[in-house]
Amino acid sequence: MEQRASKVVIITGASSGIGEATAKLLASNGAAVVLAARREDRLRQIAADIRRAGGEADYFQANVASSEEMNMLVRHAVERYGRVDVLVNNAGIMPVSKLRELRVDEWERMIDVNVKGVLYGIAAVLPVMRDQRSGHIVNVSSVAGHVVSPTSAVYSATKFAVRAITEGLRQEESPETGIRTTIIAPGMTETELMNTVSSPEVKQMGEMLRGMSIPPDRIAKAIAYAIDQPDDTSVSEIVIRPTAQPM
Ligand code: NAD
């Protein structure tokens, strides 16, 4: 890298939706972005798009539900760029259904990806940020991390957990090391996630609300805003709701 990037940012779930939009926006603002997800072909393509547009991007195939792979991801970023300024824990899944209809393997997977994935990311990056005595961990929760609706009990539980983890981390780390944390809580956003909804009721509601859903680049702007704050200012949570949406 000839020119020093403004920030080195790892983004999980960067192969589509909010993660992809965030990677592209941050790179266009001068950050070096390390894209992580499971679909290597998509990551390669997005990283190439970013470089073609004059940005700095690298990628690493990683399943956030594996602590080992999250450690490898952070190690890769440090070897490539020498530091990690920001980790955006964005990867998430949402196979929503009523509790009685949700299969055990589905709720286990949701907890593995949405909760353990965030914890593995934090565990991997925290020693690096503590050594640097600086860093910022941005965790993507949801408005479902504030309000529970029928068919979203487990998804909501994972997103409440993300908020609790982020707030606990802030209390433990910020006063001592200056490491910042931000919770991002989007309302319904137009991404592939909405196509993975298995419950017919939620699908129907999703179709009704689709016209009111938020474009992913708006969520990316919220993340960029939180990251761009000066070191002595911390944005602890941003909730992004479409004006016309009921929840
Ligand atoms: P998306 O499906 O487009 O993106 C999710 C990303 O996570 C994809 O890149 C996917 O490949 C990746 N991913 C899934 N499992 C993974 C794993 N095990 N390891 C690594 N990567 C994995 O959906 P999105 O809407 O962009 O979702 C991003 C985040 O935003 C999620 O945490 C989601 O819960 C949250 N969110 C989405 C909405 C919405 O309405 N779309 C609303 C609130 C919060």
Side-chain angles (χ1 to χ4, degrees), residues 13-19 36-39 62-65 90-93 109 113 140-143 155 159 186-194:
S15 62
S16 62
I18 294 168
R38 289 162 309 167
R39 289 178 290 176
N63 175 3
V64 297
N90 163 74
I93 55 171
R109 184 94 194 115
V113 175
V140 179
S141 174
S142 171
V143 293
Y155 180 71
K159 294 302 187 180
M188 196 173 123
T189 308
E190 186 66 57
T191 66
E192 288 177 19
L193 196 82
M194 291 314 298

Side-chain angles (χ1 to χ4, degrees), residues 4-7 25-32 56:
R4 191 176 151 89
S6 59
K7 288 204 164 126
L25 178 63
L26 296 180
S28 73
N29 290 348
E56 174 60 35

Side-chain angles (χ1 to χ4, degrees), residues 208-227:
M208 271 161 49
L209 297 176
R210 204 172 274 275
M212 300 177 213
S213 60
I214 310 163
D217 60 328
R218 300 256 175 87
I219 313 300
K221 279 184 189 155
I223 294 173
Y225 172 79
I227 291 174

Side-chain angles (χ1 to χ4, degrees), residues 187-208:
M188 196 173 123
T189 308
E190 186 66 57
T191 66
E192 288 177 19
L193 196 82
M194 291 314 298
N195 304 328
T196 65
V197 169
S198 48
S199 153
E201 284 167 50
V202 180
K203 241 193 181 110
Q204 201 183 10
M205 191 179 79
E207 287 308 322
M208 271 161 49

Side-chain angles (χ1 to χ4, degrees), residues 1 4-11 26 30-34 77-78 80-87 129 132 136:
M1 195 177 41
R4 191 176 151 89
S6 59
K7 288 204 164 126
V8 177
V9 185
I10 299 176
I11 303 155
L26 296 180
V33 292
V34 181
V78 172
R80 178 86 166 77
Y81 294 110
R83 65 188 205 278
V84 179
D85 298 302
V86 184
L87 168 64
M129 290 183 173
Q132 294 171 173
H136 191 164

